[in-house]
Amino acid sequence: MADNNHSSPTDRFQTTTFEITTGRREVALDITDRCAAFLDERAAGRDGLLNVFVPHATAGIAVLETGSGSDDDFLATLRELLPADDRWRHRHGSPGHGRDHVVPGLVAPHATLPVLGGQLALGVWQSVVLVDTNGDNPRRTVRLSFLG
């Protein structure tokens, strides 16, 4: 992971960023392992909060089940709610790109999650997912911050 802020493991606030390639089509990418690796390195068995933030106007963070089709169902629902057609006032980029700028209104660009004993306190089937419908920008930055 790229460490953009240097802090010692004893600091109450730890943060880092990493880059991820999402590709040229809409995706729901599971980043739970990246979150867990950050906590292993920085939370040292402590309780606190993990904030996951994507500083982009066309991407979001969701907590949902992956691998059983739920992630595909989620993307299909976004396509149904927000069709990639010419109805959008925001018109630069690929056709229907305006809808990509509406996605963060439905899928927030952040999630704050409980951490217990240095581990994410997620439900059995929950994963942390980067949602990106914008094929025009295949590179994303994700910021992970632990407060504990």
Side-chain angles (χ1 to χ4, degrees):
M1 256 180 252
D3 187 358
N4 293 334
N5 291 342
H6 303 283
S7 52
S8 73
T10 58
D11 289 343
R12 285 183 40 90
F13 182 78
Q14 303 281 321
T15 190
T16 193
T17 61
F18 66 89
E19 301 291 317
I20 193 164
T21 300
T22 57
R24 296 279 178 200
R25 57 190 181 100
E26 59 191 23
V27 294
L29 289 176
D30 188 340
I31 60 169
T32 309
D33 288 347
R34 296 264 198 147
C35 295
F38 170 72
L39 291 172
D40 286 346
E41 182 181 312
R42 303 292 185 92
R46 294 182 288 164
D47 294 347
L49 296 171
L50 175 69
N51 183 264
V52 184
F53 175 68
V54 56
H56 298 280
T58 58
I61 300 294
V63 176
L64 52 95
E65 182 178 4
T66 60
S68 65
S70 297
D71 40 353
D72 293 330
D73 289 342
F74 184 75
L75 291 173
T77 299
L78 287 178
R79 279 192 301 276
E80 192 172 314
L81 290 172
L82 306 171
D85 58 22
D86 64 357
R87 73 182 69 201
W88 308 100
R89 290 184 191 106
H90 186 106
R91 293 183 185 258
H92 78 83
S94 60
H97 175 66
R99 70 102 182 216
D100 299 328
H101 286 274
V102 176
V103 167
L106 299 175
V107 183
H110 61 88
T112 300
L113 306 165
V115 175
L116 300 174
Q119 304 293 312
L120 274 173
L122 294 173
V124 173
W125 303 112
Q126 290 180 315
S127 296
V128 182
V129 176
L130 170 64
V131 177
D132 186 2
T133 61
N134 180 7
D136 293 342
N137 184 4
R139 294 287 298 161
R140 298 300 182 166
T141 299
V142 177
R143 175 168 295 280
L144 304 175
S145 302
F146 173 73
L147 178 63

